[in-house]
């Protein structure tokens, strides 16, 4: 059962743990469609917490959560039921939910950002509504206010890079964008996003007792091979007195799991397979004394195929870099055809077809999305992991 919320089960928690026993969210934003559907959803799990609808120009949602949780409040002005195959896709408000009273306000319904809009950013619209609530929301708002200049700058740069590269005439951009300009805009956006992340990490570290800081630090653990084991130990000490006791207990378990992919550990010597189907240990492909780049990819993965030219360029410019591409294809035919089409002249291997060995390799490197690139240092330590080939290219 999800730890974040229970709508119908009584929780025997100390009353001091929360401002109240239930939450209430009320809003009367001008311009909402009568009968419009309203849904409160947890951001990470996507679990629905409460539903409602606009009646007489307003709505109210009630329920109970077992711990503070980041949520989206989505208001869909299309009347239900939606046509088959369509889902709620309205305007969205972000809030940090606890058992307290909340009020959501905005000048007009149309001023609230859409949950998704091509070439736009919902983050940039977060300044156009206001959420008033209890202590959890106040702490979240304090983080947002502190981060807003960095968030805004990074999001604007990301939108600019996207519009130049993909927007074309719709946004007054050239039909054939200049690759150098696109790369410069992308680099700027990535750099600003990294700065924003660093500032958010610093904010969380400076406010260790707040539940939202614990949430942020927990999210940061999704960056595999990013923190050292020493840094991970420091985290458990730093956030020990966090007011979300249940959240801290879950955080400690997550830190223990993160140590398996701590930056600086010896690379896991997993079993792979060759093109002719033979088992091979990764250690036979890694060159001691040289940097090794592992590129997990697949023939059916568009972003993976799009990254191959960058890897080719690295291979040509840096012969001292030992590159090993590791296919996630199950089909030998698909894999070998892609190798011929892409003319990948460096070392090649694939995940094993044996299910147990396959799971072992995927687990050891936490392969969740591809392309996935791992950098191994000359002394055999994992020092970097990224899903962005451009980020790896910039290391050399």
């Amino acid at each position: 059962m999800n730890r974040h919320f229970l709508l119908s089960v009584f929780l025997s928690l100390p009353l001091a743990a929360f401002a109240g026993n239930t939450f209430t969210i009320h809003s009367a934003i001008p311009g909402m469609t009568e009968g419009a559907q309203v849904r409160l959803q947890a951001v990470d799990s996507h679990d629905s917490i409460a539903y409602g609808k606009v009646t007489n120009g307003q709505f109210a949602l009630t329920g109970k959560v077992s711990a503070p949780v980041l949520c989206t409040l989505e208001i869909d002005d299309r009347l239900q039921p939606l046509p088959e195959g369509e889902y709620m896709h309205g305007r969205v408000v972000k809030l940090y939910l606890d058992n307290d009273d909340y009020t959501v306000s905005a000048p007009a319904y149309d001023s609230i950002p859409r949950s998704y809009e091509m070439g736009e950013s919902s983050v940039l619209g977060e300044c156009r509504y206001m959420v008033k609530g209890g202590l959890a929301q106040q702490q979240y708002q304090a983080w947002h206010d502190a981060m807003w200049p960095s968030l805004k700058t990074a999001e604007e740069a990301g939108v600019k890079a996207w519009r130049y590269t993909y927007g074309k005439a719709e946004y007054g951009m050239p039909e054939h964008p200049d690759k150098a300009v696109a790369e410069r805009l992308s680099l700027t956006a990535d750099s600003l996003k990294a700065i924003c992340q660093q500032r958010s990490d610093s904010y969380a570290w400076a406010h260790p007792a707040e539940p939202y800081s614990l949430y942020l630090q927990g999210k940061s653990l999704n960056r595999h091979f990013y923190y050292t084991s020493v840094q991970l130990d420091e985290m458990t000490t730093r956030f020990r007195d966090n007011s979300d006791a249940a959240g801290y207990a879950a955080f400690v378990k997550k830190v223990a799991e993160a140590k398996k992919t701590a930056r600086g550990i010896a690379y896991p010597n997993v079993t792979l397979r060759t093109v002719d189907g033979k088992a091979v240990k990764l250690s036979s492909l890694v060159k001691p004394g040289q940097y090794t780049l592992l590129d997990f990819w697949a023939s059916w993965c568009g972003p993976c195929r799009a990254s191959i030219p960058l890897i080719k360029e690295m291979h040509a410019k840096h012969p001292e870099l030992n590159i090993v591409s590791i296919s996630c294809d199950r089909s030998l035919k698909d894999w070998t055809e892609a190798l011929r089409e892409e003319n990948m002249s460096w070392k090649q291997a694939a995940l094993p077809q044996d299910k147990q060995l396959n799971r072992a390799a995927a687990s050891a490197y936490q392969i969740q999305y591809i392309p996935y690139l791992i950098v191994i240092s000359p002394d055999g330590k994992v020092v970097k992991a990224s899903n962005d080939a451009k980020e790896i290219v910039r290391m050399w």
Side-chain angles (χ1 to χ4, degrees), residues 273 299-300 327-338 350 353:
R273 63 183 166 106
S299 63
W300 43 262
S327 171
C328 300
D329 282 288
R330 292 189 178 276
S331 167
L332 175 63
K333 180 175 179 291
D334 292 344
W335 175 28
T336 54
E337 284 184 359
Q353 290 186 315

Short mmCIF file of all heavy atoms in Angstrom, two decimals, residues 273 299-300 327-338 350 353:
data_model
loop_
_atom_site.label_atom_id
_atom_site.label_comp_id
_atom_site.label_asym_id
_atom_site.label_seq_id
_atom_site.Cartn_x
_atom_site.Cartn_y
_atom_site.Cartn_z
N ARG A 273 27.48 -10.81 -23.61
CA ARG A 273 27.61 -11.78 -24.70
C ARG A 273 28.17 -11.10 -25.94
O ARG A 273 27.96 -9.90 -26.16
CB ARG A 273 26.28 -12.44 -25.01
CG ARG A 273 25.18 -11.51 -25.51
CD ARG A 273 23.87 -12.26 -25.71
NE ARG A 273 22.76 -11.35 -25.87
CZ ARG A 273 22.13 -11.08 -27.02
NH1 ARG A 273 22.54 -11.69 -28.13
NH2 ARG A 273 21.12 -10.25 -27.08
N SER A 299 18.90 -1.19 -30.84
CA SER A 299 18.60 -0.86 -32.24
C SER A 299 17.28 -0.12 -32.37
O SER A 299 17.11 0.71 -33.27
CB SER A 299 18.55 -2.15 -33.07
OG SER A 299 17.50 -3.00 -32.63
N TRP A 300 16.32 -0.42 -31.49
CA TRP A 300 14.98 0.17 -31.57
C TRP A 300 14.86 1.52 -30.85
O TRP A 300 13.80 2.14 -30.86
CB TRP A 300 13.97 -0.80 -30.96
CG TRP A 300 14.42 -1.44 -29.68
CD1 TRP A 300 14.97 -2.67 -29.52
CD2 TRP A 300 14.38 -0.85 -28.37
NE1 TRP A 300 15.27 -2.92 -28.20
CE2 TRP A 300 14.93 -1.81 -27.47
CE3 TRP A 300 13.96 0.37 -27.86
CZ2 TRP A 300 15.04 -1.58 -26.10
CZ3 TRP A 300 14.08 0.61 -26.50
CH2 TRP A 300 14.61 -0.36 -25.64
N SER A 327 24.65 -3.59 -26.29
CA SER A 327 23.28 -3.59 -26.79
C SER A 327 22.32 -4.22 -25.79
O SER A 327 22.64 -5.21 -25.13
CB SER A 327 23.21 -4.35 -28.12
OG SER A 327 21.86 -4.52 -28.51
N CYS A 328 21.12 -3.63 -25.72
CA CYS A 328 20.04 -4.19 -24.90
C CYS A 328 19.05 -4.97 -25.76
O CYS A 328 17.97 -5.34 -25.29
CB CYS A 328 19.33 -3.08 -24.14
SG CYS A 328 20.40 -2.15 -23.02
N ASP A 329 19.41 -5.19 -27.03
CA ASP A 329 18.54 -5.94 -27.93
C ASP A 329 18.41 -7.39 -27.49
O ASP A 329 19.38 -8.03 -27.10
CB ASP A 329 19.11 -5.91 -29.36
CG ASP A 329 18.84 -4.59 -30.06
OD1 ASP A 329 17.69 -4.36 -30.43
OD2 ASP A 329 19.80 -3.81 -30.22
N ARG A 330 17.22 -7.93 -27.64
CA ARG A 330 17.03 -9.37 -27.43
C ARG A 330 17.26 -10.13 -28.73
O ARG A 330 17.66 -11.29 -28.73
CB ARG A 330 15.61 -9.64 -26.91
CG ARG A 330 15.37 -9.10 -25.50
CD ARG A 330 14.04 -9.57 -24.95
NE ARG A 330 13.83 -9.08 -23.60
CZ ARG A 330 14.29 -9.66 -22.49
NH1 ARG A 330 15.03 -10.76 -22.62
NH2 ARG A 330 14.04 -9.17 -21.31
N SER A 331 16.99 -9.45 -29.85
CA SER A 331 17.13 -10.09 -31.15
C SER A 331 18.54 -9.90 -31.70
O SER A 331 19.00 -8.76 -31.88
CB SER A 331 16.11 -9.50 -32.14
OG SER A 331 16.41 -9.88 -33.46
N LEU A 332 19.23 -11.00 -31.96
CA LEU A 332 20.57 -10.94 -32.54
C LEU A 332 20.51 -10.31 -33.92
O LEU A 332 21.39 -9.51 -34.29
CB LEU A 332 21.17 -12.34 -32.62
CG LEU A 332 22.53 -12.46 -33.32
CD1 LEU A 332 23.58 -11.66 -32.57
CD2 LEU A 332 22.94 -13.93 -33.44
N LYS A 333 19.48 -10.62 -34.68
CA LYS A 333 19.32 -10.09 -36.04
C LYS A 333 19.21 -8.57 -36.01
O LYS A 333 19.88 -7.86 -36.78
CB LYS A 333 18.09 -10.69 -36.70
CG LYS A 333 17.82 -10.22 -38.12
CD LYS A 333 16.63 -10.99 -38.70
CE LYS A 333 16.32 -10.53 -40.12
NZ LYS A 333 15.76 -9.14 -40.14
N ASP A 334 18.36 -8.04 -35.13
CA ASP A 334 18.19 -6.58 -35.03
C ASP A 334 19.49 -5.90 -34.62
O ASP A 334 19.84 -4.83 -35.13
CB ASP A 334 17.09 -6.24 -34.02
CG ASP A 334 15.71 -6.67 -34.48
OD1 ASP A 334 15.55 -6.94 -35.69
OD2 ASP A 334 14.80 -6.75 -33.63
N TRP A 335 20.19 -6.54 -33.70
CA TRP A 335 21.45 -5.96 -33.21
C TRP A 335 22.49 -5.91 -34.32
O TRP A 335 23.10 -4.87 -34.57
CB TRP A 335 21.95 -6.81 -32.04
CG TRP A 335 23.30 -6.41 -31.48
CD1 TRP A 335 23.87 -5.17 -31.50
CD2 TRP A 335 24.23 -7.28 -30.84
NE1 TRP A 335 25.10 -5.21 -30.89
CE2 TRP A 335 25.35 -6.47 -30.47
CE3 TRP A 335 24.23 -8.62 -30.50
CZ2 TRP A 335 26.46 -7.01 -29.82
CZ3 TRP A 335 25.33 -9.16 -29.83
CH2 TRP A 335 26.43 -8.35 -29.50
N THR A 336 22.71 -7.02 -35.01
CA THR A 336 23.75 -7.07 -36.05
C THR A 336 23.40 -6.18 -37.23
O THR A 336 24.29 -5.57 -37.84
CB THR A 336 23.97 -8.52 -36.50
OG1 THR A 336 22.72 -9.11 -36.91
CG2 THR A 336 24.57 -9.35 -35.39
N GLU A 337 22.12 -6.08 -37.57
CA GLU A 337 21.72 -5.18 -38.66
C GLU A 337 22.02 -3.73 -38.30
O GLU A 337 22.50 -2.95 -39.13
CB GLU A 337 20.24 -5.35 -38.98
CG GLU A 337 19.91 -6.60 -39.78
CD GLU A 337 18.44 -6.68 -40.16
OE1 GLU A 337 17.68 -5.75 -39.76
OE2 GLU A 337 18.06 -7.64 -40.84
N ALA A 338 21.75 -3.36 -37.05
CA ALA A 338 22.03 -1.99 -36.59
C ALA A 338 23.53 -1.72 -36.59
O ALA A 338 23.97 -0.62 -36.96
CB ALA A 338 21.46 -1.77 -35.20
N ALA A 350 26.68 -7.29 -25.81
CA ALA A 350 25.24 -7.16 -25.53
C ALA A 350 24.94 -7.76 -24.17
O ALA A 350 25.72 -8.56 -23.63
CB ALA A 350 24.42 -7.85 -26.61
N GLN A 353 21.28 -13.08 -22.87
CA GLN A 353 19.90 -13.53 -23.09
C GLN A 353 19.39 -14.31 -21.88
O GLN A 353 18.19 -14.38 -21.67
CB GLN A 353 19.83 -14.37 -24.36
CG GLN A 353 20.02 -13.55 -25.63
CD GLN A 353 19.79 -14.35 -26.90
OE1 GLN A 353 20.27 -15.47 -27.00
NE2 GLN A 353 19.07 -13.78 -27.84
#
